[in-house]
Coordinates of all heavy atoms in Angstrom, one line a residue:
I13 N 246.1 229.8 219.4 CA 245.9 231.2 219.8 C 246.5 232.1 218.7 O 247.5 231.8 218.1 CB 246.7 231.5 221.1 CG1 246.1 230.7 222.2 CG2 246.7 232.9 221.5 CD1 246.8 230.7 223.5
G14 N 245.8 233.2 218.4 CA 246.2 234.1 217.4 C 246.1 235.6 217.9 O 245.4 235.8 218.9
F15 N 246.8 236.5 217.3 CA 246.8 237.9 217.6 C 246.4 238.7 216.4 O 246.8 238.3 215.3 CB 248.1 238.3 218.2 CG 248.5 237.4 219.4 CD1 249.2 236.2 219.2 CD2 248.1 237.7 220.7 CE1 249.6 235.4 220.3 CE2 248.4 236.9 221.7 CZ 249.1 235.8 221.6
F16 N 245.7 239.8 216.6 CA 245.2 240.6 215.5 C 245.6 242.0 215.7 O 245.6 242.5 216.8 CB 243.7 240.5 215.4 CG 243.2 239.1 215.1 CD1 242.9 238.2 216.1 CD2 243.0 238.6 213.8 CE1 242.5 236.9 215.9 CE2 242.6 237.4 213.6 CZ 242.3 236.5 214.6
D17 N 246.0 242.7 214.6 CA 246.3 244.1 214.6 C 245.0 244.9 214.5 O 243.9 244.3 214.4 CB 247.3 244.5 213.5 CG 246.8 244.3 212.1 OD1 245.6 244.0 211.9 OD2 247.6 244.5 211.2
N18 N 245.1 246.2 214.5 CA 243.9 247.0 214.5 C 243.1 246.9 213.2 O 241.9 247.2 213.1 CB 244.3 248.5 214.7 CG 244.6 248.7 216.1 OD1 244.1 248.1 217.0 ND2 245.5 249.7 216.4
R19 N 243.8 246.4 212.1 CA 243.1 246.2 210.8 C 242.4 244.8 210.7 O 241.8 244.5 209.8 CB 244.0 246.4 209.7 CG 244.5 247.8 209.6 CD 245.5 248.0 208.4 NE 246.7 247.2 208.7 CZ 247.7 246.9 207.9 NH1 247.6 247.5 206.7 NH2 248.7 246.2 208.3
G20 N 242.7 244.0 211.8 CA 242.1 242.6 211.8 C 243.0 241.6 211.1 O 242.6 240.4 211.0
Q21 N 244.2 241.9 210.8 CA 245.1 240.9 210.2 C 245.7 240.0 211.3 O 246.0 240.4 212.4 CB 246.3 241.7 209.6 CG 247.2 240.8 208.8 CD 248.3 241.6 208.0 OE1 248.3 242.8 208.1 NE2 249.2 240.9 207.4
F22 N 245.7 238.7 211.0 CA 246.1 237.7 212.0 C 247.6 237.5 212.1 O 248.3 237.6 211.1 CB 245.5 236.3 211.5 CG 246.0 235.2 212.3 CD1 245.5 234.9 213.5 CD2 247.1 234.4 211.9 CE1 245.9 233.8 214.3 CE2 247.5 233.3 212.6 CZ 247.0 233.0 213.8
F23 N 248.1 237.3 213.3 CA 249.5 237.1 213.5 C 249.7 236.0 214.6 O 248.9 235.8 215.4 CB 250.2 238.4 214.1 CG 250.3 239.5 213.0 CD1 249.2 240.4 213.0 CD2 251.3 239.6 212.1 CE1 249.2 241.4 212.1 CE2 251.3 240.6 211.2 CZ 250.3 241.5 211.2
K24 N 250.8 235.2 214.5 CA 251.0 234.1 215.4 C 251.5 234.6 216.7 O 251.3 233.9 217.7 CB 252.0 233.1 214.8 CG 251.4 232.4 213.6 CD 252.4 231.4 213.0 CE 251.7 230.6 211.9 NZ 252.7 229.6 211.3
V25 N 252.3 235.7 216.7 CA 252.8 236.2 218.0 C 252.4 237.7 218.2 O 252.2 238.4 217.2 CB 254.4 236.1 218.0 CG1 254.8 234.6 218.0 CG2 255.0 236.8 216.8
P26 N 252.3 238.1 219.5 CA 251.8 239.4 219.7 C 252.7 240.5 219.2 O 252.3 241.6 218.8 CB 251.6 239.5 221.3 CG 252.4 238.4 221.8 CD 252.5 237.3 220.7
E27 N 254.0 240.3 219.2 CA 255.0 241.3 218.8 C 254.7 241.6 217.3 O 254.9 242.8 216.9 CB 256.4 240.8 219.0 CG 256.9 240.7 220.4 CD 256.4 239.4 221.1 OE1 255.8 238.5 220.5 OE2 256.5 239.4 222.4
D28 N 254.4 240.6 216.5 CA 254.2 240.9 215.1 C 252.9 241.8 214.9 O 252.9 242.7 214.0 CB 254.0 239.6 214.3 CG 255.4 238.9 214.1 OD1 256.4 239.6 214.4 OD2 255.4 237.7 213.8
A29 N 251.9 241.5 215.7 CA 250.7 242.4 215.6 C 251.0 243.8 216.0 O 250.5 244.8 215.4 CB 249.6 241.8 216.5
A30 N 251.8 244.0 217.1 CA 252.2 245.3 217.6 C 253.0 246.0 216.5 O 252.8 247.2 216.2 CB 252.9 245.2 218.9
L31 N 253.9 245.3 215.9 CA 254.7 245.9 214.8 C 253.9 246.3 213.6 O 254.1 247.4 213.1 CB 255.8 244.9 214.3 CG 257.0 244.6 215.3 CD1 257.8 243.5 214.8 CD2 257.8 245.9 215.4
S32 N 252.9 245.6 213.3 CA 252.0 245.9 212.2 C 251.3 247.2 212.6 O 251.1 248.1 211.7 CB 251.0 244.8 211.9 OG 250.1 245.2 211.0
D33 N 250.8 247.4 213.8 CA 250.1 248.6 214.2 C 251.0 249.8 214.2 O 250.7 250.9 213.8 CB 249.5 248.4 215.6 CG 248.2 247.5 215.6 OD1 247.6 247.4 214.5 OD2 247.8 247.0 216.6
L34 N 252.3 249.6 214.7 CA 253.2 250.7 214.7 C 253.6 251.1 213.3 O 253.6 252.3 213.0 CB 254.5 250.2 215.4 CG 254.5 250.2 216.9 CD1 255.8 249.6 217.4 CD2 254.4 251.6 217.4
C35 N 253.7 250.2 212.3 CA 254.0 250.5 210.9 C 252.8 251.3 210.4 O 253.0 252.3 209.7 CB 254.2 249.3 210.1 SG 255.8 248.5 210.4
A36 N 251.6 250.9 210.7 CA 250.4 251.6 210.2 C 250.4 253.1 210.7 O 250.1 254.0 210.1 CB 249.2 250.9 210.5
L37 N 250.7 253.2 212.0 CA 250.8 254.5 212.7 C 251.8 255.4 212.0 O 251.6 256.6 211.8 CB 251.0 254.3 214.2 CG 251.1 255.6 215.0 CD1 249.8 256.2 215.1 CD2 251.7 255.3 216.3
L38 N 253.0 254.9 211.8 CA 254.1 255.6 211.2 C 253.8 256.0 209.7 O 254.3 257.1 209.3 CB 255.4 254.9 211.3 CG 255.9 254.6 212.7 CD1 257.1 253.7 212.7 CD2 256.3 256.0 213.4
G39 N 253.1 255.2 209.0 CA 252.9 255.4 207.6 C 254.2 255.2 206.8 O 255.1 254.6 207.3
K40 N 254.2 255.7 205.5 CA 255.3 255.5 204.7 C 256.4 256.5 205.0 O 256.1 257.7 205.1 CB 255.0 255.6 203.2 CG 256.1 255.3 202.3 CD 255.6 255.3 200.9 CE 256.7 255.0 199.9 NZ 258.1 255.2 200.2
I41 N 257.6 256.1 205.3 CA 258.7 257.0 205.6 C 259.8 256.8 204.6 O 260.3 255.7 204.4 CB 259.2 256.7 207.1 CG1 258.1 256.9 208.1 CG2 260.4 257.6 207.4 CD1 258.5 256.5 209.5
G42 N 260.2 257.8 204.0 CA 261.4 257.8 203.1 C 261.0 257.5 201.7 O 259.8 257.3 201.3
E43 N 262.0 257.5 200.8 CA 261.8 257.2 199.4 C 261.9 255.7 199.1 O 262.6 255.0 199.8 CB 262.8 258.0 198.5 CG 262.7 259.5 198.7 CD 261.5 260.1 198.1 OE1 261.0 259.5 197.0 OE2 260.9 261.0 198.7
G44 N 261.3 255.2 198.1 CA 261.3 253.8 197.8 C 260.7 253.0 198.9 O 259.6 253.3 199.3
D45 N 261.3 251.9 199.3 CA 260.8 251.1 200.4 C 260.7 251.9 201.7 O 261.6 252.7 202.0 CB 261.6 249.9 200.7 CG 261.6 248.8 199.5 OD1 260.6 248.9 198.8 OD2 262.5 248.0 199.4
S46 N 259.6 251.8 202.4 CA 259.4 252.6 203.6 C 260.4 252.1 204.7 O 260.7 251.0 204.9 CB 258.0 252.4 204.1 OG 257.8 253.1 205.3
L47 N 260.8 253.1 205.5 CA 261.7 252.8 206.6 C 260.8 252.5 207.9 O 261.4 252.1 208.9 CB 262.5 254.1 207.0 CG 263.5 254.5 205.9 CD1 264.1 255.8 206.2 CD2 264.5 253.5 205.6

Side-chain angles (χ1 to χ4, degrees):
I13 296 176
F15 304 91
F16 298 88
D17 65 7
N18 287 329
R19 294 179 296 172
Q21 187 176 358
F22 171 82
F23 295 92
K24 292 181 180 180
V25 294
E27 291 80 10
D28 289 343
L31 285 172
S32 177
D33 285 339
L34 282 171
C35 286
L37 178 70
L38 293 171
K40 185 172 180 343
I41 300 172
E43 299 293 323
D45 290 340
S46 178
L47 300 173

